[in-house]
Amino acid sequence: MRDVAVSLVVNGRRYDVRVSPRTTLLDWLRDRAGLTGIKKGCNEGACGTCTVLVDGQRMNGCLTLLVQADGTHVTTIEGLASPDGALHPVQQAFVDADAFQCGYCTPGQILSAVACIEEGHATDAASVREWMSGNICRCSCYPQIVDAVLGAAKER
């Protein structure tokens, strides 16, 4: 299979690459772009650990081929903080609410939370639980995650 050209912007940096059409966004981000904040969990789209934002929409990096991201802007956990190092309000809300334990799911949870808030779904606990249901936490920090999302939405 021939490599294909892909151009995309990741966390504000433009990439022009040639890749196998079978390369997933998850694998390319971790292995080629060196952005290891995105995690590989189930590799089947069931856990949300690999959540990134593609043109502001949450996507599972394990189910998205890099060629599908051609011409898009991708945001990973590394791209949320300000250039001066200040945490994104959702990142800070996760810290304040102690919304993580082992931390493996945290990058995907945070990016999904950003989208949940931007989409207008962070209105109450039930709505947050529903719209964040694609992100699994093995440590069961769900009450703290809901508190973090609602707290960040209120600050917005």
Side-chain angles (χ1 to χ4, degrees):
M1 197 171 285
R2 294 180 187 215
D3 285 354
V4 294
V6 176
S7 296
L8 69 161
V9 176
V10 180
N11 299 332
R13 179 178 171 199
R14 183 176 179 81
Y15 291 87
D16 296 300
V17 298
R18 295 196 63 79
V19 297
S20 166
R22 297 180 290 211
T23 304
T24 65
L25 180 58
L26 165 65
D27 289 336
W28 183 82
L29 287 168
R30 286 187 59 80
D31 301 339
R32 303 297 175 130
L35 298 169
T36 56
I38 183 174
K39 304 297 185 211
K40 186 179 278 194
C42 67
N43 212 30
E44 296 177 351
C47 73
T49 302
C50 63
T51 302
V52 295
L53 302 178
V54 178
D55 288 338
Q57 300 293 314
R58 51 186 144 176
M59 304 284 286
N60 288 335
C62 72
L63 296 180
T64 305
L65 297 173
L66 185 61
V67 296
Q68 293 174 283
D70 187 36
T72 66
H73 287 78
V74 176
T75 304
T76 69
I77 195 69
E78 293 91 345
L80 279 185
S82 299
D84 66 0
L87 293 179
H88 183 280
V90 174
Q91 289 173 306
Q92 188 61 56
F94 268 66
V95 171
D96 295 345
D98 198 23
F100 51 88
Q101 190 167 8
C102 81
Y104 198 80
C105 72
T106 305
Q109 293 277 3
I110 289 172
L111 287 161
S112 190
V114 167
C116 182
I117 294 166
E118 291 299 317
E119 293 162 1
H121 300 302
T123 55
D124 57 61
S127 183
V128 170
R129 282 192 300 273
E130 174 68 24
W131 288 95
M132 294 285 293
S133 64
N135 292 80
I136 296 172
C137 175
R138 292 181 272 182
C139 302
S140 295
C141 289
Y142 297 114
Q144 297 93 325
I145 291 168
V146 170
D147 289 347
V149 176
L150 291 173
K154 187 167 65 171
E155 291 298 317
R156 186 171 174 250

